Amino acid sequence: DGPLPRRVCSPARRWWRTEMAAASAAAAGAAAALAFDEDIFEVKHVDREGKFFDKVSRIECRSENYDTELLLDVAIEVYPMDIGDKFSLALASTLNLDGTPDDGYYDQSGKKTLADKFQYVMYGTVFRFEEGQNQKLSVFASFGGLLMRLRGDPRNLQGIERDAKIYLLIRKVM
């Protein structure tokens, strides 16, 4: 029977395939850069243990999708948060949309980054993991002294590594 005839690919079709492959690779890279998939959190308490700093509040939140608890220090002068506010939160290892590592410095070139999709971004280090009750894992990070504790199912936190440099990205939702 012999070999099958070769299909000839037009230049336009080759261009389309190249573009689709590049877009797919960029999407895969961006997804790979997320250490914690984006989730919606609701603020349940603000400064429950008292206010210690004028320009910083500690918010306590619960996620809608992953049953995750968040304790986070926020610079409220820059990004005010109140009880009942809902926001989307993601943790990422890089701001590059293609998932390639960055150097941790703010890029002023105007190039589009993951930060363009969010309103409040902090850069910090994961410094501790702690196993708790009910098979929950707590992840602790510091963002220049502003602290975060994210507690939830270890399967949802497995993309986060100890001593990793991470970006915390927040955007309020209605």
Side-chain angles (χ1 to χ4, degrees):
D1 286 311
L4 294 172
R6 264 191 164 174
R7 295 175 77 177
V8 177
C9 200
S10 71
R13 187 171 177 96
R14 249 182 268 129
W15 172 85
W16 182 82
R17 282 185 181 168
T18 304
E19 289 297 307
M20 294 309 291
S24 176
L34 287 179
F36 177 75
D37 286 337
E38 199 169 326
D39 198 358
I40 306 294
F41 285 81
E42 182 176 352
V43 178
K44 299 294 186 181
H45 301 281
V46 177
D47 295 321
R48 186 195 325 215
E49 296 173 3
K51 187 131 178 89
F52 298 102
F53 302 101
D54 291 337
K55 299 176 183 180
V56 175
S57 281
R58 180 161 288 173
I59 61 172
E60 296 177 44
C61 312
R62 188 168 234 0
S63 76
E64 292 182 356
N65 299 320
Y66 297 126
D67 190 34
T68 305
E69 299 168 13
L70 173 70
L71 197 65
L72 180 66
D73 294 341
V74 178
I76 57 165
E77 190 173 70
V78 176
Y79 200 72
M81 300 288 273
D82 293 313
I83 293 173
D85 284 353
K86 288 189 175 188
F87 60 92
S88 176
L89 176 134
L91 298 176
S93 60
T94 180
L95 293 179
N96 292 331
L97 292 173
D98 63 1
T100 57
D102 60 29
D103 55 13
Y105 292 102
Y106 178 66
D107 180 4
Q108 299 180 35
S109 69
K111 177 179 88 173
K112 294 285 183 191
T113 68
L114 191 58
D116 295 325
K117 299 176 182 181
F118 293 88
Q119 300 164 331
Y120 185 72
V121 179
M122 295 193 292
Y123 183 69
T125 304
V126 176
F127 65 89
R128 187 170 85 197
F129 285 91
E130 201 174 86
E131 290 185 27
Q133 315 161 11
N134 303 334
Q135 307 281 336
K136 299 263 182 167
L137 178 69
S138 293
V139 176
F140 296 85
S142 176
F143 302 92
L146 298 179
L147 302 177
M148 175 197 79
R149 182 192 71 205
L150 191 61
R151 181 186 297 153
D153 188 317
R155 291 175 296 189
N156 299 327
L157 304 174
Q158 66 186 359
I160 305 170
E161 298 176 8
R162 186 159 192 238
D163 298 324
K165 301 291 185 186
I166 60 168
Y167 292 92
L168 178 139
L169 304 111
I170 291 177
R171 172 186 61 245
K172 286 189 182 175
V173 295
M174 301 300 154

